[in-house]
């Protein structure tokens, strides 16, 4: 899995769960700048990847949330 694929997965999850990416990073791996760092070329360990996927599995998104205008 590359960084772009992971970022897309995180973005999709956040959209469905109604979370900001910074909130996701803080809750999943205690790093509010996780998505930002990945976008700027940062790397993560396989342990961090496992923690991200573990968080998503333990807290499934409830489906698409309606847009509020």
């Amino acid at each position: 899995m590359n960084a772009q694929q992971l970022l897309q997965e995180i973005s999709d999850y956040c959209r469905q769960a109604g979370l900001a990416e910074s909130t996701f990073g803080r809750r999943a791996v205690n790093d509010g700048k996780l998505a930002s760092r990945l976008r700027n070329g940062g790397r993560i360990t396989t342990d961090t990847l496992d923690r991200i996927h573990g968080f998503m599995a333990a807290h499934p998104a409830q489906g698409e949330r309606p847009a509020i205008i």
Side-chain angles (χ1 to χ4, degrees):
M1 171 173 280
N2 66 33
Q4 289 302 323
Q5 291 170 325
L6 180 58
L7 280 167
Q8 186 62 49
E9 199 173 319
I10 290 171
S11 179
D12 292 345
Y13 177 87
C14 288
R15 191 174 307 107
Q16 292 175 358
L19 285 177
E21 289 179 349
S22 59
T23 303
F24 171 83
R26 231 178 6 266
R27 290 181 181 176
V29 294
N30 200 30
D31 181 4
K33 295 185 179 183
L34 171 70
S36 176
R37 291 178 210 273
L38 287 173
R39 275 194 190 89
N40 291 321
R43 297 180 183 186
I44 60 171
T45 65
T46 55
D47 180 53
T48 301
L49 180 62
D50 291 343
R51 289 173 58 197
I52 290 168
H53 285 142
F55 177 84
M56 289 179 182
H59 305 90
Q62 299 300 318
E64 194 71 31
R65 293 173 50 125
I68 297 174
I69 300 175

